[in-house]
Amino acid sequence: MADASPEARAVTLLGRPKLWLVPTVLTGLLALLLALLYMGGIVNPQGALHHLPIALVNADTGKPPAGQQQNAGTQIAAAITSDKSNDKARWRTLTRAEAQDQLDSGKVYGALVIPPDFTASLTALSTADATARPTMTVLTNPGKGSLGSSLAGQITTAAAHQASLTIGKQLTAAAGAQADSTTKLLLADPVNVVTQVGHPLGGHSGLGLSAFYYTLLLVLAGFMGGNVISNGVDTALGYADNEIGPWHTRRPTVPITRTQTLLLKMAMTAGITLVSVSLIMLATITFLGMDATHIPLLWIYSYCAALAVGLGVQAINAAFGGIGQLVSMFVFIVLGLPSSGATVPLQAVPGFYRFLSHFEPMRQLSDGVRAILYFDARGDAGLYRSWLMIAIGAALGLLFGFAMTRYYDRKGHKRLTPQPA
């Protein structure tokens, strides 16, 4: 009986350049792409910021000062909206009620409010009737995320302070030499700028980040669940080896078409997603106490969102085979995170990510989760659009997956099942 062939040794194989080539190139490209895509979306939000929607409320009802045609509030509002030197904000001139409605629906990141008595308070500063400094109020919207709310707060506060300095120059000039040093100091920067929360959130909302992390859980549940189901079905049907530690098994191959295999995987995805979504809600809401209302709606939405991702994963795996998991990772995770608008506002990311946000799944899902968790499940807060995009995404996954498997079946591309020696 002939001796068995000598077993290869790792030291010998390490000297083969071809063994290194493909893993090195693929790993390097993945690292480069991940670094560029992830960091490219968040590295310079101030530099990329354009047209952040902010409300401007001029409620000033005072009469124009002597020699002027407009009251102070109207002059300030006109100066802010006509300033073309800075495009970081897109000012929306609204009434106080309209601004509150847009804060409550997540349509603006913040607001600057000029009160009704603004002109009267300014005029009184140079007289004995002065009782308090005039005030402008900056309203934040933490429901749009801590970074987005912070950026809006910085813009509105800077605009208010600039208006105060401009008015101060006018008041100082009008007072002339008659004003003492204390009065001149007060007139130089006369407006008090206060910051308030325009749309409060609960204490267990992660400072406006719970919606993002909850969305990430739904995407990961669909992505990982879809891949686990796909691999499990292939192993159970005998199309893949089952290897756990030193134990290796292969089940007898079950004759089945690619189309029927995909149907089986998608049906199992629909069933198992019920369990995973329920456990996510149990953990986040019941165990961890995350602030959440509209619980039945949140459960239905979560299930449909995770299911749409899972169906997409199954379709991509069926179409691309072994590299399907890598493709679906880029579609649902790698490109989805920086273009979601959930942590960094879309107005503060480069144009490439704003383009991706029109169809990337994570952005569509995060808008709906944010609407349910923070904005009273209002349709105009993004929920209507999210439902529509979930339906379109699920339909595309079904159409693409079954179109590809039927094509492979018609062409006779059967799955290879090499038998172990």
Side-chain angles (χ1 to χ4, degrees), residues 105-128:
S105 61
K107 294 178 181 177
V108 294
Y109 284 80
L112 178 61
V113 180
I114 304 172
D117 62 345
F118 187 73
T119 297
S121 299
L122 273 177
T123 305
L125 279 180
S126 56
T127 69

Side-chain angles (χ1 to χ4, degrees), residues 142-153:
K144 295 295 288 182
S146 54
L147 179 59
S149 181
S150 174
L151 289 172

